[in-house]
Amino acid sequence: MQHGMVQPGSPYPLGATWDGKGVNFALFSAHAEKVELCIFDARGRRELVRFELPENTNEVWHGYLPEARPGMLYGYRVSGPYDPNAGHRFNPNKLLIDPYARALSGQLRWSDAHYAYRVGSSRGDYAFDRRDDASGMPKCVIVDSAFTWGDDRPPNIPLADTVMYELHARGATMLHPDVPEAYRGTFAGLASPAFVGHLRKLGVTAVELLPIHAFVDDRHLVERRLRNYWGYNTLNFFAPEQRYLGGGINEFKTAVKTLHQAGIEVILDVVYNHTAEGNHLGPTLSFRGIDNATYYRLMPDNARFYDDVTGTGNALDVGKPRVMQLVLDSLRYWVEEMHVDGFRFDLATTLGRVSGGGYDKQSAFLQAVGQDPVLQRVKLIAEPWDVGMGGYQVGNFPPGWSEWNGKYRDAVRRFWQGNDARLGELASSLAGSSHIYQWQGRRPQASVNFVTVHDGFTMTDLVSYNGKHNDANGEDNRDGTDDNASWNCGVEGPTDDPTVRALRKRQRRNMLATVLLSQGVPLLLAGDEFGQSQGGNNNAYAQDNETSWLHWPAIDDEGRADEAFVQRLIAIRREHGCFRRSHFFRGTAPDGDERKDITWLAASGNEMTQDEWNDTGRRVLGFDIGDEPRFVALFNAHDAEIAFTLPSGVASPWRCIVDTARDDVTDEPAATPFALQARSLALFQTP
């Protein structure tokens, strides 16, 4: 190929687009002076030829290569000023990943050559580095997007009917004995009959996958022989992570299609708040070398440094039009091309920050997502915090968004921990957190209710450890939160003491049942249904091993009983709409009804008084909801049995259908007062 063979091409679409005859290349950079397209051999080891893109239209560099074909490997070199104080860090010696690449080949092999400055120089990042790093860089792959979706349709499960299950695409199946060995740890494993069968049996309606966008193992982890297991270190927003692919990118599409056929939605945990390039001393892998001053939030008084509101070293500036376009294009790609059903946005507060640094729920980005005709039809879930000033924004995202409700987690944990807690917080949490979400027409489904997720203790560890045990991370147990609201039930870690084990079982079931009986959208952590433990590690982000992988072979009789318990609770929730209301309770009697839509009960069976609500030492509460059938749920976090009088005036006796203190609930008529065991939850039904 010769230089003259590159034709002008088109500035749109961005990325490398195969049209059946050749490939159009288009790369945005507002401050570049030259962009070179580098073509590599099939193994990505040798640069075959380099072309200068001939055209620059509206800050998009572009060219058309007639001889390019799907499967060809490429990357970019971008020339421009190297002036850190002005926010510019161009270095054409560094091979760069196309932000719009649909697939990558090869892994990043760490060396000092990946930095635009000379590592170790007394001049720091002012010292320009002239080494070529291409041999250690992944390469972009030109793809042919053809795939037979057939009659695939999104399940379109209403939020009110959704039960989410957070899992890791690799760890979910690495140890599953009934998943073919070649498929374990891949998207094909998620689509296997054994794993899909587990999801269907459990009754969940959506999987929420930890990040699957291409990401990087941090250098400090690789040097400690660890990996970035969770994947919150994004390199590219379009390409699936290679370690989850046994084959090409169509393997992911096949997994989505298979899950859809089982009636299960696919929600992606996405990381658009920062990238893998770190702070001003980080590597130059893609965005930094293409147009650092555009892609990142820089300090207004010194553009050498990043306005880091994410705690990772940098933050994308989605307020800038081309950066916003990148994120929106990525989201639409995953919906339209990959058929996913929604997104959970990591550190979503960062995406709503505006000039000046503050958060604004009417920011340009959040408004753009809200009015987008493609994105309006999928689930949008915010992790409503980051580490910047004013970063905790639970309840402050726009209509149309749901949020991880961290206040729900804290209220439920504190209640079942047994410390003095405000019952009003628990009651509001059970009722959908109306004090947080009932504004601007938002519904209970704005609250995504969880007690445990990937970031923190598993449910088993929450009731087995008072403190974190993160030594395996190599950070002297300094990493991970110390604010866990956990309780080990009397013994730290594993024990054979039958009394402690029985109490832990009740506590696990108490919190699982609380989540599934609350208004809002329940979110379960994969493995909590059968007793998954991480040995007390509450920050297993670097543990790509049996610490984090689901322990399918270790499931014992107790684990199977817990799984059946969760399955039963999900079935109750699915069968009875009173647990998944589309509107908040009003605390009054609906028209034509003598009873309130919800009544909060004291142990006497009477409605709670104001003095009882204000009693911070009170650890027992009940609620009475439903029409036909009618349900009463009782919650006892005391360490003693409580005699709880069930409401009178029902046509037939109350039947106990769930009791976390018993394995042999038989739906028999319940006596009143009911002996509500210490640290237990019970659910009653009457026609």
Side-chain angles (χ1 to χ4, degrees), residues 241-264:
E241 171 55 36
Q242 296 176 71
R243 69 191 73 183
Y244 307 147
L245 291 169
I249 63 173
N250 283 349
E251 182 180 324
F252 176 81
K253 297 179 182 180
T254 299
V256 172
K257 184 176 179 179
T258 302
L259 288 163
H260 281 180
Q261 289 171 343
I264 297 169

Side-chain angles (χ1 to χ4, degrees), residues 159 164 348-349 359 361 380-385 392-411 425 427-450 518-523 581-585:
L159 265 172
M164 293 193 294
T349 297
Y359 170 81
K361 66 180 177 181
L380 302 172
I381 303 166
E383 182 185 42
W385 50 78
Y392 194 73
Q393 294 293 332
V394 171
N396 201 25
F397 272 72
W401 286 73
S402 297
E403 304 172 21
W404 273 26
N405 189 347
K407 294 183 178 180
Y408 177 97
R409 171 201 59 209
D410 297 342
E425 290 183 355
S428 180
S429 298
L430 292 168
S433 300
S434 59
H435 69 297
I436 300 175
Y437 296 112
Q438 67 178 347
W439 322 113
Q440 294 186 284
R442 300 181 81 183
R443 304 290 184 87
Q445 288 70 44
S447 178
V448 174
N449 301 326
F450 66 96
S518 296
Q519 304 298 325
V521 181
L523 171 63
R581 291 167 52 96
S582 296
H583 296 84
F584 288 108
F585 293 110

Side-chain angles (χ1 to χ4, degrees), residues 465-489:
Y465 295 91
N466 282 349
K468 64 190 181 184
H469 296 261
N470 298 354
D471 300 283
N473 296 346
E475 300 177 40
D476 297 323
N477 206 38
R478 294 189 304 270
D479 62 301
T481 183
D482 293 309
D483 183 17
N484 297 292
S486 63
W487 178 47
N488 65 16
C489 298

Side-chain angles (χ1 to χ4, degrees), residues 69 74 143 179 227 239 250 318 348 420 465 490 545 567 630:
R69 296 290 184 268
Y74 73 99
V143 303
V179 173
R227 302 179 76 180
N250 283 349
V318 297
D420 289 351
Y465 295 91
N545 50 51
Q567 181 182 348
R630 183 172 162 191

Side-chain angles (χ1 to χ4, degrees), residues 235-438:
L235 177 62
N236 178 276
F237 299 119
F238 291 82
E241 171 55 36
Q242 296 176 71
R243 69 191 73 183
Y244 307 147
L245 291 169
I249 63 173
N250 283 349
E251 182 180 324
F252 176 81
K253 297 179 182 180
T254 299
V256 172
K257 184 176 179 179
T258 302
L259 288 163
H260 281 180
Q261 289 171 343
I264 297 169
E265 295 184 318
V266 178
I267 296 170
L268 301 186
D269 191 336
V270 287
V271 189
Y272 294 113
N273 59 82
H274 74 279
T275 78
E277 293 184 302
N279 64 15
H280 67 291
L281 297 178
T284 294
L285 307 173
S286 180
F287 309 95
R288 173 173 285 143
I290 293 170
D291 195 342
N292 183 71
T294 295
Y295 277 112
Y296 291 113
R297 297 178 61 91
L298 305 180
M299 295 300 294
D301 56 345
N302 190 342
R304 178 189 178 193
F305 301 107
Y306 296 92
D307 182 10
D308 176 21
V309 294
T310 66
T312 66
N314 66 61
L316 277 185
D317 193 349
V318 297
K320 293 198 174 94
R322 286 294 188 178
V323 187
M324 184 188 302
Q325 178 189 357
L326 169 73
V327 176
L328 293 175
D329 284 349
S330 169
L331 291 167
R332 285 189 291 259
Y333 172 78
W334 286 94
V335 174
E336 295 183 306
E337 182 66 30
M338 300 299 220
H339 286 207
V340 305
D341 305 285
F343 305 94
R344 177 267 190 190
F345 293 79
D346 178 64
L347 300 183
T349 297
T350 299
L351 304 178
R353 290 189 179 272
V354 295
S355 59
Y359 170 81
D360 184 354
K361 66 180 177 181
Q362 297 183 9
S363 69
F365 175 79
L366 295 179
Q367 288 189 58
V369 172
Q371 61 80 42
D372 188 279
V374 173
L375 301 179
Q376 281 188 62
R377 66 176 189 251
V378 301
K379 293 176 172 65
L380 302 172
I381 303 166
E383 182 185 42
W385 50 78
D386 65 16
V387 301
M389 185 69 71
Y392 194 73
Q393 294 293 332
V394 171
N396 201 25
F397 272 72
W401 286 73
S402 297
E403 304 172 21
W404 273 26
N405 189 347
K407 294 183 178 180
Y408 177 97
R409 171 201 59 209
D410 297 342
V412 173
R413 285 190 179 193
R414 283 197 299 264
F415 175 77
W416 286 115
Q417 187 185 28
N419 292 333
D420 289 351
R422 292 182 291 273
L423 288 183
E425 290 183 355
L426 176 68
S428 180
S429 298
L430 292 168
S433 300
S434 59
H435 69 297
I436 300 175
Y437 296 112
Q438 67 178 347

